[in-house]
Amino acid sequence: MGCGHLFYSTLVTFSVALITYNIIISANAPLKQDFPNPSSSSISVDPVIEMPLERSRRHGAAANKRLFHTAMTASDSVYNTWQCRVMYYWFKKFQNGPNSEMGGFTRILHSGKPDKYMDEIPTFIAQPLPAGMDQGYIVLNRPWAFVQWLEKADIKEEYILMAEPDHIIVKPIPNLSKDGLGAAFPFFYIEPKKYESVLRKYFPKDMGPITNIDPIGNSPVVVGRDSLKKIAPVWMNVSLAMKKDPETDKAFGWVLEM
């Protein structure tokens, strides 16, 4: 009995030590500004975004500050509001850190009315979708909220980081979007090829191979402000159309608007 207790105590202690070590290492590791480069010189493009490597290398080393505006959509739920406060706290901690190109910040609140945190977090009030249009999928308010914000807000920065309340910033963030080329995180569960027959309803064959749809969501994404102004209405309309179609809705579920 004593040996078993000692074993589990040792196992727990080792696990805690390992987790603590990983947290310390990840928090202190520098966030690289360059795009990932394959080790083989025979590969001439990055694997997902297909950016020519010479552009990737050149734009990885920032010569001048290119500030981006961080925008996150939010509901007025207690849980979501708590996430927003935590996210904005850490944003401010690293906004002026080394290599940071973090500019302004906006919480896009799609409840249609102000809350008591307006003075704490820079906030834009967006109207929710008409009753029933989201079919119980509140995330559909996200693209609609971005459309309103992009139409009405005075955004100084040329780039926008689309973020979410559950993001926690652990180090200063550089701008990886250059000259209209966006930067995004690839998600393993976004599989356009797997659902090609469904996606062809919205991406006809004359638009190219289904692999032209990158396996990304809308966040985290750094993209040019003017490009996003063109993309957002399409994002909103396609998301609504996908939700209305039972086959598409079943195929994509909770990641539909991604």
Side-chain angles (χ1 to χ4, degrees), residues 71-238:
M72 67 174 179
T73 56
S75 71
D76 59 356
S77 70
V78 174
Y79 176 62
N80 210 221
T81 301
W82 175 82
Q83 288 182 314
C84 290
R85 298 181 71 193
V86 172
M87 198 279 196
Y88 184 55
Y89 172 87
W90 287 106
F91 172 88
K92 291 188 293 181
K93 282 284 186 182
F94 293 103
Q95 183 179 14
N96 298 315
N99 300 318
S100 169
E101 293 183 283
M102 300 158 68
F105 184 100
T106 300
R107 173 183 62 148
I108 307 174
L109 183 62
H110 53 70
S111 63
K113 57 184 183 296
D115 63 8
K116 63 181 181 180
Y117 297 103
M118 301 289 291
D119 293 332
E120 179 180 328
I121 311 173
T123 300
F124 172 88
I125 303 298
Q127 297 302 312
L129 289 167
M133 185 171 285
D134 64 10
Q135 301 182 56
Y137 182 55
I138 194 173
V139 188
L140 282 181
N141 283 285
R142 182 172 170 79
W144 170 225
F146 261 103
V147 168
Q148 296 174 70
W149 177 64
L150 290 164
E151 285 180 348
K152 300 176 181 178
D154 181 18
I155 308 164
K156 305 297 184 184
E157 297 85 353
E158 294 183 9
Y159 299 90
I160 294 170
L161 166 63
M162 303 171 71
E164 296 187 23
D166 60 357
H167 291 170
I168 295 181
I169 299 170
V170 298
K171 60 192 70 176
I173 306 175
N175 185 349
L176 295 178
S177 178
K178 307 293 180 181
D179 296 342
L181 296 171
F185 183 82
F187 290 94
F188 69 89
Y189 51 80
I190 301 295
E191 303 176 276
K193 186 65 178 176
K194 182 178 179 180
Y195 299 103
E196 179 170 3
S197 61
V198 175
L199 288 174
R200 283 303 183 188
K201 299 177 183 180
Y202 317 97
F203 191 77
K205 288 187 176 181
D206 59 7
M207 297 183 72
I210 206 70
T211 50
N212 281 356
I213 302 176
D214 290 326
I216 63 172
N218 54 73
S219 173
V221 169
V222 185
V223 65
R225 177 193 60 213
D226 294 338
S227 294
L228 187 56
K229 285 183 177 181
K230 297 176 182 178
I231 295 168
V234 179
W235 172 30
M236 177 189 71
N237 290 325
V238 171

